[in-house]
Amino acid sequence: MGKIEFFQQVNQNFDRAAKHVRHPEGLLRQIKACNATYRMAFPLKRDDGSIEVIFAWRAEHSQHKLPTKGGVRFADNVNEDEIKALAALMTYKCAVVNVPFGGAKGGIQIDRHKYSDSELERITRRYTYELVKKNFLGPGIDVPAPDYGTSAREMAWMADTYIQLHPGQLDAPACVTGKPTSLGGVRGRKEATGHGVFFGIREACRIAEDLHPLGLSTGLEGKRIVIQGLGNVGYHAARFLEQGGAKIIAIAEHNGAITCEQGLDIEKVKQHHLEHGTVLDFPGATNIPDTADALELECDILVPAALENQITLSNVDRIRAKIVAEAANGPTTADASEELEKRGVLVIPDIYLNAGGVTVSYFEWLKNLSHVRFGRLSKRFEENTNTTILREVERMTGKQIPGEMLTRLAHGADEEDLVNSGLEETMISSYHEIREIKKKQDGGIDLRTAGFIGSIDKIARCYLDLGIFP
Ligand code: NAD
């Protein structure tokens, strides 16, 4: 099989959906096009004094809404095609979950394990400086976030660099999301993508009409799940799924996989992974030395949460999951996805399922612009009101509510409560939105195509309301 062009894969999905919408051809071409790409090369003075050239990109796929939004990844195989594809996915994803941003993505072509912390800091700060120079960064322009290989630490360096270059700009911290809470981050962001994956899978598993044809009962309880990638998204998704009653029967990492039919203890596997750099040899589990084999295990739900192009025409025939829940971006190629659809596998698509990250990033951006923590003004008021009501109930019934219960019932929503509630609402309502689109097409399309149809219509509306395409 030839090299898989990721952007072409995204466009293939777009084209499938475009057959079901009625918009001018030129407008569809505009929506599909990547608006701006900045490719850069800059020097890094390594700790040993040698000079290395670092290659990096930022792509802003669609500016129909501003700012544009999307993560920055550090990976040694990052390339322009991949960044444009991921930026495009961000455009459609934001539209699916009604987050008012255009799509963007950035990447630095490095294996982060081969650099010291201070080298990574110099690379990140220089990348930020390059973005500022070309006006590719800012609270109203383009707002990065963590992605594969990056975390709150890199976002802190980016925010700090931007803030130093814009003295007195009150909204400057809103230039990136996924920051540590001490620097304006929002509680719940770190786990948001995995948490959203959990809400999405749970919602899909509530619908008997969809689950029974797969031979599955409703609910998460006892569902046998395989997770690929125990990083930010995979770990948190696995943790929430386990708490929700599912059994994680296998975990695959880049250097090996493990399986255990009784279910793996996620927290313990994570600890083992941190200590040994591998999930292999986890006590009580069986090793799967070729990690790709884990995708082919018989299971109810397969959650690819690592990288793109994991399920392709070369292995799709051996995938035995009843549900493929795409936590990663682009884990299934367009052709492989069609094959799964033909076989009746329920594919919960990336443009919906991993949108929890950008949803909570939106909340963080709003927090930064409003300069106040969610719940700060209302928490105590809610608590006082709830306590007054509960005291009145006690007076009317003549029964005393136990202290612990009173505290729990009177609790006013704090930042984390509000963020998680906003995330849950977004994931539930968006699932039904795309499912309704699918139903309107008499079920003749899959959920991915339904998601794209909804996105295309929403983005087209922005252009049409400008009168650009009469
Ligand atoms: P991460 O770097 O935290 O974790 C990725 C994990 O996958 C790592 O532990 C890595 O070792 C593992 N991995 C790499 N290749 C593998 C392979 N072949 N088999 C098994 N495991 C492998 O990255 P992340 O932030 O968790 O991102 C994972 C995916 O989710 C990416 O596609 C990313 O674009 C997508 N995503 C991330 C976010 C976010 O908020 N971080 C949001 C939306 C989508």
Side-chain angles (χ1 to χ4, degrees):
M1 203 171 61
K3 188 174 174 305
I4 297 165
E5 304 286 349
F6 191 6
F7 193 26
Q8 194 266 327
Q9 296 293 315
V10 178
N11 286 337
Q12 200 171 319
N13 289 324
F14 181 101
D15 292 340
R16 279 184 85 191
K19 289 186 195 129
H20 301 270
V21 298
R22 291 167 182 271
H23 297 297
E25 195 50 43
L27 174 51
L28 292 173
R29 273 202 298 276
Q30 170 57 55
I31 295 173
K32 236 162 86 167
C34 183
N35 289 2
T37 310
Y38 176 27
R39 183 186 66 81
M40 65 200 92
F42 54 80
L44 167 74
K45 188 168 181 187
R46 297 211 59 168
D47 292 345
D48 66 5
S50 62
I51 305 286
E52 192 176 307
V53 184
I54 303 292
F55 295 95
W57 290 264
R58 183 76 185 168
E60 293 173 357
H61 172 261
S62 177
Q63 286 134 338
H64 70 287
K65 284 195 193 284
L66 288 170
T68 52
K69 188 90 188 74
V72 175
R73 64 168 52 176
F74 288 1
D76 55 0
N77 53 0
V78 161
N79 57 67
E80 189 163 323
D81 172 72
E82 177 182 81
I83 294 303
K84 280 159 74 174
L86 291 163
L89 283 176
M90 283 305 297
T91 296
Y92 308 124
K93 188 183 305 180
C94 289
V96 164
V97 288
N98 298 306
V99 164
F101 295 140
K105 201 78 179 189
I108 305 184
Q109 198 183 65
I110 51 167
D111 176 348
R112 75 190 156 106
H113 303 292
K114 294 188 179 149
Y115 296 84
S116 69
D117 285 349
S118 72
E119 286 172 336
L120 288 173
E121 180 172 353
R122 292 203 292 282
I123 293 169
T124 309
R125 287 187 182 276
R126 178 60 187 256
Y127 177 69
T128 311
Y129 180 73
E130 291 293 329
L131 294 178
V132 170
K133 250 179 21 186
K134 299 282 183 196
N135 220 11
F136 265 69
L137 182 66
I141 300 169
D142 187 356
V143 181
D147 191 69
Y148 187 92
T150 56
S151 65
R153 181 182 70 163
E154 286 72 22
M155 297 309 112
W157 290 332
M158 289 192 79
D160 185 57
T161 309
Y162 183 88
I163 291 166
Q164 302 314 319
L165 292 169
H166 296 83
Q169 195 189 96
L170 205 54
D171 292 335
C175 70
V176 295
T177 58
K179 301 178 291 290
T181 45
S182 59
L183 297 172
V186 76
R187 285 159 190 82
R189 172 61 185 92
K190 193 171 59 193
E191 54 273 53
T193 308
H195 207 175
V197 167
F198 160 72
F199 286 133
I201 294 176
R202 189 189 65 183
E203 201 53 27
C205 287
R206 278 179 173 158
I207 304 171
E209 194 187 332
D210 296 348
L211 280 239
H212 289 168
L214 302 171
L216 292 174
S217 57
T218 53
L220 274 181
E221 196 61 40
K223 290 275 179 307
R224 297 165 58 255
I225 299 186
V226 173
I227 304 268
Q228 185 199 36
L230 198 62
N232 178 285
V233 178
Y235 162 63
H236 289 293
R239 203 165 56 82
F240 286 112
L241 288 163
E242 185 188 25
Q243 282 166 17
K247 265 201 305 185
I248 311 300
I249 59 155
I251 292 179
E253 250 301 321
H254 70 100
N255 50 1
I258 50 170
T259 179
C260 174
E261 194 49 47
Q262 288 73 46
L264 293 155
D265 181 323
I266 300 305
E267 221 42 73
K268 286 188 180 151
V269 177
K270 182 71 183 172
Q271 211 44 48
H272 179 92
H273 186 222
L274 286 173
E275 273 168 34
H276 305 281
T278 175
V279 292
L280 291 172
D281 301 326
F282 180 72
T286 308
N287 286 340
I288 306 177
D290 185 348
T291 190
D293 290 348
L295 296 174
E296 299 168 17
L297 290 171
E298 192 275 313
C299 64
D300 297 325
I301 308 176
L302 170 62
V303 184
L307 280 172
E308 57 269 18
N309 301 335
Q310 298 302 299
I311 304 174
T312 67
L313 283 183
S314 52
N315 65 353
V316 69
D317 289 345
R318 299 190 300 277
I319 301 294
R320 289 185 286 162
K322 295 178 177 121
I323 298 176
V324 173
E326 297 184 334
N329 282 309
T332 317
T333 61
D335 292 337
S337 188
E338 267 190 71
E339 284 303 313
L340 292 174
E341 168 70 7
K342 274 185 211 151
R343 281 185 12 216
V345 175
L346 175 65
V347 178
I348 311 177
D350 52 1
I351 52 166
Y352 157 72
L353 193 65
N354 69 34
V358 74
T359 301
V360 175
S361 277
Y362 171 45
F363 301 156
E364 179 175 332
W365 182 76
L366 290 174
K367 173 187 179 177
N368 294 156
L369 296 184
S370 62
H371 302 273
V372 63
R373 184 180 74 238
F374 294 115
R376 178 165 179 179
L377 302 184
S378 54
K379 184 178 190 308
R380 181 66 55 181
F381 179 79
E382 277 175 28
E383 265 169 26
N384 290 342
T385 308
N386 294 345
T387 308
T388 307
I389 295 168
L390 293 166
R391 292 287 181 224
E392 194 56 24
V393 170
E394 284 183 328
R395 196 187 59 77
M396 284 162 66
T397 59
K399 288 187 183 147
Q400 205 186 342
I401 300 171
E404 181 274 326
M405 190 191 281
L406 189 86
T407 312
R408 191 160 40 81
L409 294 176
H411 174 77
D414 60 24
E415 180 169 89
E416 199 162 353
D417 296 323
L418 292 167
V419 163
N420 289 339
S421 149
L423 173 63
E424 184 174 8
E425 166 59 21
T426 302
M427 295 309 294
I428 292 175
S429 57
S430 304
Y431 189 74
H432 290 282
E433 203 177 304
I434 58 173
R435 194 171 170 277
E436 277 310 306
I437 297 173
K438 175 175 152 75
K439 276 181 90 173
K440 274 200 193 121
Q441 302 282 338
D442 291 331
I445 57 169
D446 56 13
L447 279 177
R448 189 191 316 282
T449 307
F452 269 89
I453 291 174
S455 294
I456 294 171
D457 279 338
K458 287 175 196 172
I459 300 164
R461 179 60 34 220
C462 297
Y463 284 103
L464 292 167
D465 285 348
L466 281 171
I468 292 179
F469 295 93

